[in-house]
Amino acid sequence: MTGHIFDERVSKEAGFAEVYRERVGAFLQNREHKGRGSLTRDGLKLTLVVLVSFGLSAVLARSGSSALALGPLILGAIVLFLFRRPARPGAGAKAPVLRVMLCNLFGDMELHETVPDGFMSIQTLRRLHVLRQSRETRADLGVSGTSRGVRYRMIKTRLTGVELLIDEDEIPKSDFNGVILEIECPTQLPRIVFGLDGGALLYYFFDTKARDTLPQFLANVDDPEFNARFELFTDDVARTRALLGQRFTQTMLHLSETCLSKGGFMAGAFEGHRVYLAIDLPHDFLGFSTARGSLLSRDDQIQDALADLSVPHQVIDALLS
């Protein structure tokens, strides 16, 4: 167990402080103790290397072999360079186990450290304008599971484009760094595309070459706050208003306020038997770092992970309400 008390901020974290104390905190504490012990042992070994190097060098220097005296010092320097280690145990060894522990808290949720082939169609998301076109796409971590009998998949995705400078040189720029969610639905859904993206969807609507790629109607739903912040296009206005009740629209607004990075991209779509959602995050999905201190005292990273992992459950709850 650990003496650190996890700070429960929101209702979905209720009861997690006890789980943290008994399982997560205990795991992190054990790993950090082992890491410090390993660093201590390595430090003693390197200190011994330094002392032996200087000792041999001094003996050779007294014997008049000045050139040979440099040999132990050079050898010692090489050993120090090859076996140097960071001053703080990193999070790399902890992250995979910690991810699994957090996923297990959500019941039927499986972690995929490597995204399987065919896990999700990025091209479908681009066709629906849930994702923008980009020069490079990277999906390197995912989760899948079931909530209330509904299957879902979610992947960590990075989109990298280019920015043209005045001299026409290109520099890489991040277009998206967040998660993409896919939810399976038993009923046939109309085509709906919505986005909180500063007018990017309206660009497609008014561009004569791209107009046919969006549903034909620019529509509102029965939630003025949602209408003020999201642009929505649909092929069936009546069914869309019936499907997107206030529980769903308020959930989208909540996610845009609590999960979205500043100025980030958020879009979603309904088509066939699938619902999609892309959220640009202000942090690395299920990424854990010790750069600013021990994970034992970094509740924010655990809280971010819990919030991200709860997104499928929040959206499914809203769809089924």
Side-chain angles (χ1 to χ4, degrees):
M1 294 190 297
T2 175
H4 177 70
I5 299 175
F6 181 85
D7 179 24
E8 297 176 358
R9 298 181 306 179
V10 293
S11 59
K12 62 175 172 284
E13 294 171 2
F16 183 69
E18 183 64 20
V19 175
Y20 182 92
R21 186 176 70 88
E22 295 290 344
R23 296 171 55 190
V24 179
F27 163 75
L28 292 175
Q29 190 174 62
N30 182 53
R31 283 299 180 96
E32 295 203 0
H33 283 166
K34 287 182 178 179
R36 293 190 191 101
S38 177
L39 289 178
T40 300
R41 290 190 296 273
D42 288 347
L44 291 174
K45 292 175 184 176
L46 294 177
T47 300
L48 183 60
V49 168
V50 171
L51 293 175
V52 170
S53 298
F54 275 100
L56 288 174
S57 180
V59 170
L60 291 172
R62 289 197 194 96
S63 66
S65 304
S66 300
L68 290 176
L70 293 174
L73 293 177
I74 294 173
L75 181 61
I78 292 173
V79 171
L80 287 174
F81 176 78
L82 292 177
F83 292 94
R84 71 192 189 282
R85 294 185 61 164
R88 188 193 307 276
K94 306 182 187 77
V97 179
L98 184 54
R99 289 175 189 138
V100 171
M101 294 179 74
L102 295 177
C103 287
N104 288 342
L105 297 174
F106 288 85
D108 186 11
M109 179 182 283
E110 181 181 358
L111 175 71
H112 306 276
E113 289 284 350
T114 301
V115 177
D117 291 339
F119 190 73
M120 193 181 297
S121 172
I122 298 297
Q123 193 55 42
T124 296
L125 293 159
R126 287 201 175 104
R127 175 177 58 79
L128 290 169
H129 305 301
V130 174
L131 283 184
R132 297 164 175 166
Q133 296 292 333
S134 62
R135 175 166 292 188
E136 180 182 353
T137 302
R138 181 180 177 184
D140 55 6
L141 187 69
V143 296
S144 62
T146 304
S147 177
R148 298 178 63 179
V150 177
R151 294 285 304 170
Y152 65 83
R153 288 171 288 275
M154 188 163 66
I155 56 174
K156 171 184 176 181
T157 307
R158 293 187 180 92
L159 304 182
T160 303
V162 295
E163 182 176 349
L164 288 175
L165 302 179
I166 296 176
D167 58 2
E168 297 188 353
D169 284 343
E170 295 181 349
I171 59 171
K173 69 180 183 71
S174 176
D175 287 335
F176 181 88
N177 185 13
V179 292
I180 303 167
L181 172 65
E182 177 183 297
I183 296 172
E184 298 180 8
C185 292
T187 58
Q188 183 77 14
L189 301 168
R191 189 167 57 127
I192 304 168
V193 179
F194 62 92
L196 174 73
D197 62 348
L201 294 182
L202 284 174
Y203 163 79
Y204 289 114
F205 185 69
F206 290 111
D207 185 284
T208 55
K209 294 181 180 179
R211 187 178 300 160
D212 291 340
T213 65
L214 278 173
Q216 58 181 316
F217 301 112
L218 175 61
N220 286 331
V221 293
D222 298 326
D223 187 334
E225 189 179 1
F226 179 89
N227 296 333
R229 299 187 60 189
F230 285 85
E231 298 148 2
L232 184 145
F233 297 85
T234 178
D235 287 333
D236 189 328
V237 176
R239 283 200 66 199
T240 297
R241 287 176 176 163
L243 279 170
L244 305 190
Q246 192 167 47
R247 175 73 183 274
F248 179 83
T249 56
Q250 287 297 309
T251 296
M252 294 301 103
L253 288 166
H254 172 73
L255 293 176
S256 73
E257 294 167 356
T258 59
C259 295
L260 190 66
S261 62
K262 185 177 181 180
F265 179 86
M266 179 176 173
F270 291 60
E271 186 181 55
H273 292 276
R274 297 287 187 274
V275 176
Y276 303 96
L277 183 66
I279 304 176
D280 204 353
L281 298 174
H283 51 262
D284 199 28
F285 175 60
L286 293 184
F288 302 101
S289 170
T290 57
R292 291 188 292 156
S294 164
L295 282 176
L296 278 167
S297 59
R298 295 298 308 280
D299 283 1
D300 57 332
Q301 294 190 48
I302 305 292
Q303 287 162 335
D304 287 341
L306 290 172
D308 296 341
L309 292 173
S310 74
V311 168
H313 299 265
Q314 293 184 63
V315 177
I316 290 170
D317 286 345
L319 289 169
L320 295 180
S321 64

